Coordinates of all heavy atoms in Angstrom, one line a residue:
M1 N 0.8 -1.2 0.0 CA 0.0 0.0 0.0 C 0.9 1.2 0.0 O 1.9 1.3 0.7 CB -0.9 0.0 1.2 CG -1.7 1.2 1.4 SD -2.9 1.0 2.8 CE -4.2 1.9 2.1
F2 N 0.5 2.2 -0.8 CA 1.3 3.4 -0.9 C 0.6 4.5 -0.1 O -0.6 4.6 0.0 CB 1.4 3.9 -2.4 CG 2.2 2.9 -3.2 CD1 1.5 2.0 -4.0 CD2 3.6 2.9 -3.2 CE1 2.3 1.1 -4.8 CE2 4.3 2.1 -3.9 CZ 3.7 1.1 -4.7
F3 N 1.4 5.4 0.5 CA 0.8 6.5 1.2 C 1.7 7.7 1.0 O 2.9 7.6 0.8 CB 0.6 6.2 2.7 CG 2.0 5.9 3.4 CD1 2.6 6.9 4.1 CD2 2.5 4.6 3.4 CE1 3.8 6.7 4.7 CE2 3.7 4.4 4.1 CZ 4.4 5.4 4.7
K4 N 1.1 8.9 1.1 CA 1.9 10.1 1.0 C 2.3 10.6 2.4 O 1.5 10.7 3.2 CB 1.0 11.1 0.3 CG 1.8 12.3 -0.1 CD 0.8 13.2 -0.9 CE 1.6 14.4 -1.5 NZ 0.8 15.2 -2.4
R5 N 3.6 10.8 2.5 CA 4.1 11.3 3.8 C 3.7 12.8 3.9 O 3.8 13.6 2.9 CB 5.6 11.2 3.9 CG 6.0 9.8 4.2 CD 7.5 9.6 4.4 NE 8.2 9.9 3.2 CZ 9.2 10.8 3.1 NH1 9.6 11.4 4.2 NH2 9.9 11.0 2.0
K6 N 3.3 13.2 5.0 CA 2.9 14.6 5.3 C 4.2 15.5 5.4 O 4.2 16.7 5.0 CB 2.1 14.7 6.5 CG 0.7 14.1 6.3 CD 0.0 14.2 7.6 CE -1.3 13.4 7.5 NZ -2.1 13.3 8.7
N7 N 5.2 15.0 5.9 CA 6.4 15.8 6.3 C 7.6 15.2 5.6 O 8.1 14.1 6.0 CB 6.6 15.9 7.8 CG 7.7 16.7 8.2 OD1 8.4 17.3 7.4 ND2 7.9 16.9 9.5
K8 N 8.2 15.8 4.6 CA 9.3 15.3 3.9 C 10.6 15.6 4.7 O 11.7 15.1 4.3 CB 9.5 16.0 2.5 CG 8.4 15.6 1.6 CD 8.6 16.2 0.2 CE 7.5 15.7 -0.7 NZ 7.7 16.2 -2.1
E9 N 10.5 16.3 5.8 CA 11.7 16.5 6.6 C 12.0 15.3 7.5 O 13.1 15.3 8.2 CB 11.5 17.8 7.5 CG 11.2 19.0 6.7 CD 12.3 19.5 5.8 OE1 13.4 19.5 6.3 OE2 12.1 19.7 4.6
E10 N 11.1 14.3 7.6 CA 11.3 13.2 8.5 C 11.1 11.9 7.7 O 10.3 11.9 6.7 CB 10.4 13.3 9.7 CG 10.7 14.4 10.6 CD 9.8 14.4 11.8 OE1 9.0 13.4 12.0 OE2 9.9 15.3 12.6
Y11 N 11.8 10.8 8.1 CA 11.6 9.5 7.5 C 11.8 8.5 8.6 O 12.9 8.4 9.1 CB 12.6 9.3 6.4 CG 12.5 7.9 5.8 CD1 11.5 7.6 4.9 CD2 13.5 7.0 6.0 CE1 11.4 6.4 4.3 CE2 13.5 5.8 5.4 CZ 12.4 5.4 4.6 OH 12.3 4.2 4.1
D12 N 10.8 7.8 9.0 CA 10.8 6.9 10.1 C 11.6 7.3 11.3 O 12.5 6.7 11.9 CB 11.5 5.6 9.6 CG 10.5 4.7 8.7 OD1 9.3 5.0 8.8 OD2 11.0 3.9 8.0
G13 N 11.3 8.6 11.8 CA 12.0 9.1 12.9 C 13.3 9.8 12.7 O 14.0 10.3 13.6
L14 N 13.8 9.7 11.4 CA 15.1 10.3 11.1 C 14.8 11.7 10.5 O 13.7 12.0 9.9 CB 15.8 9.5 10.1 CG 16.1 8.0 10.5 CD1 16.7 7.3 9.3 CD2 17.0 8.0 11.7
K15 N 15.8 12.6 10.6 CA 15.7 14.0 10.1 C 16.4 14.1 8.7 O 17.5 13.6 8.6 CB 16.2 15.0 11.1 CG 15.4 15.2 12.2 CD 15.9 16.3 13.1 CE 15.7 17.7 12.5 NZ 16.0 18.8 13.3
L16 N 15.8 14.9 7.8 CA 16.5 15.2 6.6 C 17.6 16.2 6.8 O 17.4 17.3 7.3 CB 15.4 15.8 5.6 CG 16.0 16.3 4.3 CD1 16.5 15.1 3.4 CD2 14.9 17.0 3.5
V17 N 18.8 15.8 6.3 CA 19.9 16.8 6.4 C 19.9 17.6 5.2 O 19.7 18.9 5.3 CB 21.3 16.0 6.5 CG1 22.4 17.0 6.5 CG2 21.3 15.1 7.7
K18 N 20.0 17.1 4.0 CA 20.1 17.8 2.7 C 19.7 16.8 1.6 O 19.9 15.6 1.7 CB 21.4 18.3 2.4 CG 21.8 19.5 3.3 CD 21.2 20.8 2.8 CE 21.6 22.0 3.6 NZ 21.1 23.2 3.1
A19 N 19.3 17.4 0.5 CA 19.2 16.6 -0.8 C 20.5 16.8 -1.5 O 20.9 18.0 -1.8 CB 18.0 17.1 -1.6
V20 N 21.3 15.7 -1.7 CA 22.6 15.8 -2.2 C 22.6 15.4 -3.7 O 22.1 14.3 -4.0 CB 23.6 14.9 -1.4 CG1 25.0 15.0 -1.9 CG2 23.5 15.4 0.1
M21 N 23.2 16.2 -4.6 CA 23.3 15.9 -6.0 C 24.2 14.6 -6.2 O 25.1 14.4 -5.4 CB 23.9 17.1 -6.7 CG 22.9 18.2 -6.7 SD 21.2 17.8 -7.3 CE 21.4 17.6 -9.0
P22 N 24.0 13.9 -7.2 CA 24.7 12.6 -7.5 C 26.2 12.7 -7.4 O 26.9 11.8 -6.9 CB 24.2 12.2 -8.9 CG 22.9 12.8 -9.0 CD 23.0 14.1 -8.3
N23 N 26.8 13.8 -7.9 CA 28.2 13.8 -7.9 C 28.9 14.0 -6.6 O 30.1 13.9 -6.4 CB 28.7 15.0 -8.9 CG 28.1 16.3 -8.7 OD1 26.9 16.3 -8.2 ND2 28.7 17.4 -9.0
F24 N 28.0 14.3 -5.5 CA 28.6 14.4 -4.2 C 28.0 13.3 -3.2 O 28.4 13.3 -2.0 CB 28.2 15.8 -3.6 CG 28.8 16.9 -4.4 CD1 28.0 17.7 -5.1 CD2 30.2 17.1 -4.3 CE1 28.6 18.8 -5.8 CE2 30.8 18.2 -5.0 CZ 30.0 19.0 -5.8
V25 N 27.2 12.4 -3.7 CA 26.6 11.4 -2.9 C 27.7 10.5 -2.2 O 27.7 10.2 -1.0 CB 25.6 10.5 -3.6 CG1 25.2 9.3 -2.9 CG2 24.3 11.4 -3.9
G26 N 28.6 10.0 -3.0 CA 29.7 9.1 -2.5 C 30.5 9.8 -1.5 O 30.9 9.3 -0.5
M27 N 30.9 11.1 -1.8 CA 31.7 11.9 -0.9 C 31.0 12.1 0.4 O 31.6 11.9 1.5 CB 32.1 13.2 -1.5 CG 33.0 14.1 -0.7 SD 33.2 15.8 -1.3 CE 33.9 15.5 -2.9
Y28 N 29.8 12.5 0.4 CA 29.1 12.8 1.6 C 28.8 11.5 2.4 O 28.9 11.5 3.7 CB 27.7 13.5 1.4 CG 27.1 14.0 2.6 CD1 27.8 14.8 3.5 CD2 25.8 13.7 2.9 CE1 27.2 15.3 4.6 CE2 25.1 14.2 4.0 CZ 25.8 15.0 4.9 OH 25.2 15.5 6.0
S29 N 28.6 10.4 1.7 CA 28.4 9.1 2.4 C 29.7 8.7 3.2 O 29.6 8.3 4.3 CB 28.1 8.0 1.4 OG 26.9 8.2 0.7
E30 N 30.8 8.9 2.5 CA 32.1 8.6 3.2 C 32.4 9.5 4.4 O 32.9 9.1 5.4 CB 33.3 8.7 2.2 CG 33.3 7.5 1.2 CD 33.5 6.2 1.9 OE1 34.3 6.1 2.9 OE2 32.7 5.3 1.6
I31 N 32.1 10.8 4.2 CA 32.2 11.7 5.3 C 31.4 11.3 6.5 O 31.9 11.3 7.7 CB 31.9 13.2 4.9 CG1 32.9 13.7 3.9 CG2 31.7 14.1 6.1 CD1 32.5 15.0 3.2
L32 N 30.1 10.9 6.3 CA 29.3 10.5 7.4 C 29.8 9.2 8.0 O 29.9 9.0 9.2 CB 27.8 10.3 6.9 CG 27.1 11.6 6.5 CD1 25.7 11.2 6.0 CD2 27.0 12.5 7.7
R33 N 30.2 8.2 7.2 CA 30.8 7.0 7.7 C 32.1 7.2 8.6 O 32.2 6.7 9.6 CB 31.1 6.0 6.6 CG 29.9 5.3 6.0 CD 30.3 4.3 5.0 NE 29.2 3.9 4.2 CZ 29.0 4.3 2.9 NH1 29.9 5.0 2.3 NH2 27.9 3.9 2.3
D34 N 32.9 8.1 8.1 CA 34.2 8.4 8.8 C 33.9 9.0 10.1 O 34.7 9.0 11.0 CB 35.0 9.3 7.9 CG 35.7 8.7 6.7 OD1 35.6 7.4 6.7 OD2 36.2 9.4 5.8
N35 N 32.7 9.7 10.3 CA 32.4 10.4 11.5 C 31.4 9.5 12.3 O 30.7 10.1 13.3 CB 31.8 11.7 11.2 CG 32.9 12.7 10.9 OD1 33.6 13.3 11.7 ND2 33.2 12.9 9.6
D36 N 31.2 8.2 12.0 CA 30.4 7.3 12.7 C 28.9 7.8 12.8 O 28.3 7.7 13.9 CB 30.9 7.0 14.1 CG 32.3 6.3 14.0 OD1 32.4 5.4 13.1 OD2 33.2 6.6 14.8
I37 N 28.4 8.4 11.7 CA 27.0 8.9 11.7 C 26.2 8.0 10.8 O 26.4 8.0 9.6 CB 26.9 10.3 11.2 CG1 27.7 11.2 12.1 CG2 25.5 10.8 11.1 CD1 27.8 12.7 11.7
P38 N 25.4 7.1 11.4 CA 24.5 6.3 10.5 C 23.5 7.1 9.7 O 23.0 8.2 10.2 CB 23.8 5.4 11.5 CG 24.0 5.9 12.9 CD 25.1 6.9 12.8
F39 N 23.2 6.7 8.5 CA 22.3 7.5 7.7 C 21.6 6.6 6.7 O 21.9 5.4 6.5 CB 23.1 8.5 6.8 CG 24.1 7.9 5.9 CD1 23.7 7.6 4.6 CD2 25.4 7.5 6.3 CE1 24.6 7.0 3.7 CE2 26.2 6.9 5.4 CZ 25.8 6.7 4.1
I40 N 20.5 7.1 6.1 CA 19.8 6.5 5.0 C 19.8 7.5 3.9 O 19.5 8.7 4.1 CB 18.4 6.2 5.4 CG1 18.3 5.0 6.4 CG2 17.5 5.8 4.2 CD1 17.0 4.7 6.9
A41 N 20.2 7.1 2.7 CA 20.1 7.9 1.5 C 19.0 7.4 0.6 O 19.1 6.2 0.3 CB 21.4 8.0 0.8
R42 N 18.0 8.2 0.2 CA 17.0 7.7 -0.7 C 16.5 8.8 -1.5 O 16.6 10.0 -1.2 CB 15.9 7.0 0.1 CG 15.2 8.0 1.1 CD 14.1 7.2 1.9 NE 13.3 6.4 1.1 CZ 12.0 6.6 0.8 NH1 11.4 7.6 1.3 NH2 11.4 5.8 0.0
Q43 N 15.8 8.4 -2.6 CA 15.2 9.3 -3.5 C 13.7 9.4 -3.3 O 13.1 8.4 -2.9 CB 15.5 8.9 -5.0 CG 16.9 9.0 -5.3 CD 17.4 7.8 -6.0 OE1 16.8 6.8 -6.2 NE2 18.7 7.8 -6.4
E44 N 13.1 10.6 -3.5 CA 11.7 10.7 -3.4 C 10.9 10.3 -4.6 O 11.3 10.5 -5.7 CB 11.4 12.2 -3.0 CG 11.9 12.6 -1.7 CD 11.2 11.9 -0.5 OE1 10.0 11.7 -0.6 OE2 11.9 11.6 0.4
G45 N 9.7 9.8 -4.4 CA 8.7 9.6 -5.4 C 9.3 8.7 -6.6 O 9.8 7.7 -6.4
A46 N 9.1 9.2 -7.8 CA 9.6 8.5 -9.0 C 11.0 8.7 -9.3 O 11.5 8.3 -10.3 CB 8.7 9.0 -10.2
A47 N 11.8 9.3 -8.4 CA 13.2 9.6 -8.7 C 14.0 8.4 -8.9 O 14.9 8.4 -9.8 CB 13.8 10.5 -7.6
G48 N 13.7 7.3 -8.2 CA 14.4 6.1 -8.4 C 14.3 5.5 -9.9 O 15.2 5.1 -10.5
Y49 N 13.0 5.6 -10.3 CA 12.7 5.2 -11.7 C 13.4 6.1 -12.7 O 14.0 5.7 -13.7 CB 11.2 5.2 -11.9 CG 10.8 5.0 -13.4 CD1 10.9 3.7 -14.0 CD2 10.4 6.0 -14.1 CE1 10.5 3.6 -15.3 CE2 10.0 5.9 -15.4 CZ 10.1 4.7 -16.0 OH 9.8 4.5 -17.3
M50 N 13.3 7.4 -12.5 CA 13.9 8.4 -13.3 C 15.4 8.3 -13.4 O 16.0 8.5 -14.4 CB 13.5 9.8 -13.0 CG 12.0 10.1 -13.1 SD 11.4 9.8 -14.8 CE 12.3 11.1 -15.7
K51 N 16.0 7.9 -12.3 CA 17.4 7.7 -12.2 C 17.9 6.5 -13.2 O 18.8 6.7 -13.9 CB 17.9 7.4 -10.8 CG 19.4 7.4 -10.7 CD 19.8 7.3 -9.2 CE 21.2 7.3 -9.0 NZ 21.6 7.3 -7.6
I52 N 17.1 5.5 -13.2 CA 17.3 4.4 -14.1 C 17.2 4.8 -15.6 O 18.0 4.5 -16.4 CB 16.4 3.2 -13.8 CG1 16.8 2.6 -12.4 CG2 16.5 2.1 -14.8 CD1 15.9 1.6 -11.8
V53 N 16.1 5.5 -15.9 CA 15.7 5.9 -17.2 C 16.7 6.9 -17.8 O 17.1 6.8 -18.9 CB 14.3 6.4 -17.3 CG1 14.0 6.9 -18.7 CG2 13.3 5.2 -17.0
T54 N 17.0 7.9 -17.0 CA 17.8 9.1 -17.5 C 19.3 9.0 -17.2 O 20.0 9.8 -17.6 CB 17.2 10.4 -17.0 OG1 17.4 10.4 -15.5 CG2 15.8 10.6 -17.3
G55 N 19.6 8.1 -16.3 CA 21.0 8.0 -15.9 C 21.3 8.8 -14.6 O 22.3 8.6 -14.0
G56 N 20.3 9.5 -14.2 CA 20.3 10.1 -12.9 C 21.2 11.2 -12.6 O 21.6 11.5 -11.4
L57 N 21.7 11.9 -13.6 CA 22.6 13.0 -13.4 C 22.1 14.2 -12.6 O 22.8 14.9 -12.0 CB 23.2 13.5 -14.7 CG 24.0 12.4 -15.5 CD1 24.4 13.0 -16.8 CD2 25.2 12.0 -14.7
L58 N 20.7 14.3 -12.6 CA 20.1 15.5 -11.9 C 19.2 15.1 -10.8 O 18.4 15.8 -10.3 CB 19.4 16.3 -12.9 CG 20.3 17.0 -14.0 CD1 19.4 17.7 -15.1 CD2 21.3 17.9 -13.5
I59 N 19.2 13.8 -10.4 CA 18.3 13.3 -9.4 C 19.0 13.2 -8.0 O 19.9 12.4 -7.8 CB 17.8 11.8 -9.7 CG1 17.3 11.8 -11.2 CG2 16.8 11.4 -8.7 CD1 16.1 12.6 -11.4
P60 N 18.7 14.1 -7.1 CA 19.3 14.1 -5.8 C 18.9 13.0 -4.9 O 17.8 12.5 -5.1 CB 18.9 15.5 -5.2 CG 17.6 15.8 -5.8 CD 17.6 15.2 -7.2
E61 N 19.7 12.7 -3.9 CA 19.3 11.7 -2.9 C 19.2 12.5 -1.6 O 20.0 13.3 -1.2 CB 20.4 10.6 -2.8 CG 20.4 9.7 -4.0 CD 21.2 8.5 -3.7 OE1 21.2 8.0 -2.6 OE2 21.8 8.0 -4.7
N62 N 18.2 12.2 -0.8 CA 17.9 12.8 0.5 C 18.7 12.0 1.5 O 18.6 10.7 1.5 CB 16.4 12.8 0.8 CG 15.7 13.8 -0.1 OD1 16.2 14.7 -0.7 ND2 14.4 13.6 -0.2
F63 N 19.4 12.7 2.4 CA 20.2 12.0 3.4 C 19.4 12.2 4.8 O 19.2 13.4 5.1 CB 21.6 12.6 3.5 CG 22.5 11.9 2.6 CD1 22.5 12.2 1.2 CD2 23.4 11.0 3.0 CE1 23.4 11.6 0.3 CE2 24.3 10.3 2.1 CZ 24.3 10.7 0.8
Y64 N 19.1 11.2 5.4 CA 18.4 11.2 6.7 C 19.3 10.6 7.8 O 20.0 9.6 7.6 CB 17.2 10.4 6.7 CG 16.1 10.9 5.7 CD1 16.1 10.5 4.4 CD2 15.2 11.8 6.1 CE1 15.1 11.0 3.5 CE2 14.2 12.3 5.3 CZ 14.2 11.9 3.9 OH 13.3 12.4 3.1
V65 N 19.3 11.3 9.0 CA 20.1 10.8 10.1 C 19.3 10.9 11.4 O 18.2 11.5 11.4 CB 21.4 11.7 10.3 CG1 22.3 11.6 9.1 CG2 21.0 13.2 10.6
K66 N 19.8 10.3 12.4 CA 19.1 10.4 13.7 C 19.1 11.8 14.2 O 20.0 12.6 13.9 CB 19.8 9.5 14.8 CG 19.8 8.1 14.5 CD 20.5 7.3 15.6 CE 20.6 5.9 15.3 NZ 21.5 5.2 16.3
P67 N 18.0 12.2 14.9 CA 17.9 13.6 15.4 C 19.1 14.1 16.1 O 19.6 15.2 16.0 CB 16.6 13.6 16.2 CG 15.8 12.5 15.6 CD 16.8 11.5 15.2
E68 N 19.7 13.2 16.9 CA 20.8 13.6 17.8 C 22.1 13.8 16.9 O 23.1 14.4 17.3 CB 21.1 12.6 18.9 CG 21.3 11.1 18.4 CD 20.1 10.3 18.4 OE1 18.9 10.9 18.4 OE2 20.2 9.1 18.4
D69 N 22.1 13.2 15.7 CA 23.3 13.4 14.8 C 23.1 14.5 13.7 O 24.0 14.8 13.0 CB 23.5 12.1 14.0 CG 24.0 11.0 14.9 OD1 24.7 11.2 15.9 OD2 23.7 9.8 14.6
Y70 N 21.9 15.1 13.8 CA 21.6 16.1 12.7 C 22.5 17.3 12.7 O 23.0 17.6 11.6 CB 20.1 16.6 12.9 CG 19.7 17.7 12.0 CD1 19.4 17.4 10.7 CD2 19.8 19.0 12.4 CE1 19.0 18.4 9.8 CE2 19.5 20.1 11.5 CZ 19.1 19.8 10.3 OH 18.8 20.8 9.4
D71 N 22.8 17.9 13.8 CA 23.7 19.1 13.8 C 25.0 18.8 13.3 O 25.6 19.6 12.5 CB 23.7 19.7 15.2 CG 22.4 20.3 15.7 OD1 21.7 20.7 14.8 OD2 22.2 20.3 16.9
K72 N 25.6 17.7 13.7 CA 26.9 17.3 13.2 C 26.9 17.0 11.7 O 27.8 17.4 11.0 CB 27.5 16.1 14.0 CG 28.8 15.6 13.6 CD 29.9 16.7 13.9 CE 31.3 16.1 13.6 NZ 32.3 17.1 13.8
A73 N 25.9 16.3 11.2 CA 25.8 15.9 9.8 C 25.6 17.2 9.0 O 26.2 17.3 7.9 CB 24.6 15.0 9.6
L74 N 24.8 18.1 9.4 CA 24.7 19.4 8.7 C 26.0 20.2 8.7 O 26.3 20.8 7.7 CB 23.5 20.2 9.3 CG 23.2 21.5 8.6 CD1 22.8 21.2 7.1 CD2 22.1 22.2 9.3
E75 N 26.7 20.2 9.8 CA 27.9 20.9 9.9 C 28.9 20.3 8.9 O 29.6 21.0 8.2 CB 28.5 20.8 11.3 CG 29.8 21.4 11.5 CD 30.4 21.1 12.9 OE1 29.6 21.1 13.9 OE2 31.6 20.9 13.0
L76 N 29.0 19.0 8.8 CA 29.9 18.3 7.9 C 29.5 18.7 6.4 O 30.4 18.9 5.5 CB 29.9 16.8 8.1 CG 30.5 16.4 9.4 CD1 30.2 14.9 9.7 CD2 32.0 16.6 9.3
Y77 N 28.2 18.7 6.1 CA 27.7 19.0 4.8 C 28.2 20.4 4.4 O 28.7 20.7 3.4 CB 26.2 18.9 4.7 CG 25.7 19.3 3.4 CD1 25.6 18.4 2.3 CD2 25.3 20.6 3.1 CE1 25.1 18.8 1.1 CE2 24.9 21.0 1.9 CZ 24.8 20.1 0.9 OH 24.3 20.5 -0.4
N78 N 28.0 21.4 5.3 CA 28.3 22.8 5.1 C 29.8 22.9 4.9 O 30.3 23.8 4.1 CB 27.8 23.7 6.2 CG 26.3 23.8 6.1 OD1 25.6 23.6 5.1 ND2 25.7 24.0 7.3
A79 N 30.6 22.2 5.7 CA 32.0 22.3 5.7 C 32.7 21.7 4.4 O 33.7 22.3 3.9 CB 32.6 21.7 6.9
F80 N 32.1 20.6 3.9 CA 32.8 19.9 2.8 C 32.0 20.0 1.5 O 32.6 20.3 0.5 CB 33.0 18.5 3.2 CG 34.0 18.3 4.3 CD1 33.6 18.1 5.6 CD2 35.4 18.4 4.0 CE1 34.5 17.9 6.6 CE2 36.3 18.3 5.1 CZ 35.9 18.0 6.4
I81 N 30.8 19.7 1.5 CA 30.0 19.6 0.2 C 29.7 21.0 -0.3 O 29.9 21.2 -1.5 CB 28.7 18.8 0.5 CG1 29.0 17.4 1.0 CG2 28.0 18.6 -0.9 CD1 30.0 16.5 0.2
E82 N 29.2 21.9 0.5 CA 28.9 23.2 -0.1 C 30.2 23.9 -0.7 O 30.1 24.5 -1.7 CB 28.3 24.1 1.0 CG 26.8 23.8 1.1 CD 26.1 24.9 1.9 OE1 26.7 25.9 2.3 OE2 24.9 24.7 2.1
I83 N 31.3 23.8 0.0 CA 32.5 24.4 -0.5 C 32.9 23.7 -1.8 O 33.3 24.4 -2.8 CB 33.6 24.2 0.6 CG1 33.3 25.1 1.8 CG2 35.0 24.6 0.0 CD1 34.3 25.0 2.9
E84 N 32.8 22.4 -1.9 CA 33.2 21.6 -3.0 C 32.3 22.1 -4.2 O 32.8 22.2 -5.3 CB 33.0 20.2 -2.7 CG 33.7 19.2 -3.6 CD 35.3 19.3 -3.7 OE1 35.9 19.6 -2.7 OE2 35.7 19.2 -4.8
A85 N 31.0 22.2 -4.0 CA 30.0 22.6 -5.0 C 30.3 24.0 -5.6 O 30.2 24.3 -6.8 CB 28.6 22.5 -4.5
E86 N 30.7 24.9 -4.7 CA 31.0 26.3 -5.1 C 32.2 26.3 -5.9 O 32.4 27.1 -6.8 CB 31.2 27.1 -3.9 CG 29.9 27.4 -3.1 CD 30.1 28.2 -1.8 OE1 31.2 28.5 -1.5 OE2 29.1 28.4 -1.1
E87 N 33.2 25.5 -5.6 CA 34.4 25.5 -6.4 C 34.3 24.9 -7.8 O 35.0 25.3 -8.7 CB 35.5 24.7 -5.7 CG 36.0 25.4 -4.4 CD 37.0 24.6 -3.6 OE1 37.3 23.4 -4.0 OE2 37.4 25.1 -2.6
N88 N 33.3 24.0 -8.0 CA 33.1 23.4 -9.3 C 32.3 24.3 -10.2 O 31.7 24.9 -10.6 CB 32.5 22.0 -9.2 CG 33.5 21.0 -8.6 OD1 34.6 21.1 -8.8 ND2 33.0 20.1 -7.8

């Protein structure tokens, strides 16, 4: 059965950190692993299908973490991924 989530900021008790573009998904995943922050990365709606059909160059993945890890995960995103995106 399919249902529409009311709040895209949460997923099974986890908080959304950021939607990360495909060229930074691997980097951000490694940064979170290196800092012992468990996460779930997933695409919304039909994005998974569209990624298969189009190659997924423009389909972001949402990163969710535990509420207690949210501040650190966001800090790491801002410190590494945003700087990297600005330079490219």
Side-chain angles (χ1 to χ4, degrees):
M1 176 174 214
F2 295 100
F3 64 93
K4 191 172 185 177
R5 285 186 293 127
K6 294 178 184 173
N7 183 357
K8 291 184 180 181
E9 302 297 313
E10 294 182 7
Y11 176 74
D12 286 343
L14 302 175
K15 284 186 75 172
L16 174 66
V17 179
K18 288 283 185 174
V20 179
M21 293 308 288
N23 49 333
F24 297 110
V25 167
M27 180 189 302
Y28 191 53
S29 297
E30 285 301 313
I31 289 169
L32 292 176
R33 284 188 195 105
D34 289 347
N35 286 275
D36 298 320
I37 299 175
F39 65 92
I40 291 177
R42 62 183 314 252
Q43 294 132 354
E44 291 296 324
Y49 170 76
M50 293 303 294
K51 187 173 185 177
I52 292 169
V53 172
T54 65
L57 296 176
L58 299 174
I59 310 295
E61 291 194 30
N62 292 340
F63 276 76
Y64 295 90
V65 298
K66 293 178 184 177
E68 57 268 20
D69 294 329
Y70 174 80
D71 291 334
K72 181 66 175 175
L74 183 59
E75 177 185 324
L76 292 167
Y77 178 87
N78 291 333
F80 293 99
I81 304 302
E82 279 192 2
I83 290 171
E84 200 58 41
E86 288 172 3
E87 290 176 357
N88 291 327

